[in-house]
Amino acid sequence: MGYYSDVAIAVQKKDYIKLKQAISSLCSAADLIEAAQKTEIQIDKEKYVVLKWQSIKWYNDFEEISFIEKFLKKIPHHDFIRIGEEMDDIEEYQGTNHYLIEVQRDISINSQ
């Protein structure tokens, strides 16, 4: 079992390339990057890559998660959102000044 989160990270494309190169030595981390849904965004002349995982165990003590989080701390221009299973369990960091990712809430109707 475990606790699952939805996670998204937005980084400049040049930093995404550095992340892929740095992470290639960790097989599990490289697999994690490849498993992410990837979206490229261009704002003005700057290119960004958004990585998104749904229902992932995002634990700091997992080597690949720790590696990614340490990498993100080294680059100032990134956005990060983690939404946990609990309603108030949300981590958010906006460092790109473009708000490339955001949390959205909506109401759904369950007609049973």
Side-chain angles (χ1 to χ4, degrees):
M1 198 77 189
Y3 189 84
Y4 291 88
S5 299
D6 293 340
V7 177
I9 299 168
V11 295
Q12 293 177 334
K13 187 163 186 177
K14 63 182 181 178
D15 290 325
Y16 170 71
I17 292 167
K18 289 178 189 175
L19 174 61
K20 280 191 70 159
Q21 291 170 343
I23 215 163
S24 64
S25 62
L26 296 172
C27 286
S28 58
D31 291 344
L32 181 66
I33 296 296
E34 291 305 314
Q37 174 189 337
K38 293 170 205 61
T39 305
E40 289 199 26
I41 300 171
Q42 182 159 340
I43 298 179
D44 299 323
K45 295 180 181 179
E46 192 67 52
K47 291 184 179 182
Y48 292 87
V49 175
V50 177
L51 302 172
K52 183 179 174 187
W53 298 269
Q54 288 187 292
S55 202
I56 184 172
K57 291 183 180 181
W58 196 265
Y59 296 130
N60 227 0
D61 39 336
F62 289 171
E63 183 180 28
E64 59 272 23
I65 303 302
S66 177
F67 186 95
I68 291 171
E69 288 186 350
K70 286 177 186 173
F71 182 87
L72 291 175
K73 287 180 182 176
K74 295 178 186 175
I75 58 172
H77 303 292
H78 72 277
D79 296 344
F80 172 86
I81 294 176
R82 186 194 59 77
I83 303 172
E85 292 177 10
E86 302 295 324
M87 287 296 284
D88 61 347
D89 184 14
I90 298 175
E91 288 180 63
E92 186 173 15
Y93 174 81
Q94 298 289 343
T96 64
N97 298 322
H98 297 296
Y99 299 95
L100 300 171
I101 54 179
E102 65 183 15
V103 176
Q104 291 185 350
R105 300 182 83 171
D106 64 4
I107 297 173
S108 62
I109 300 171
N110 297 318
S111 58
Q112 296 183 41

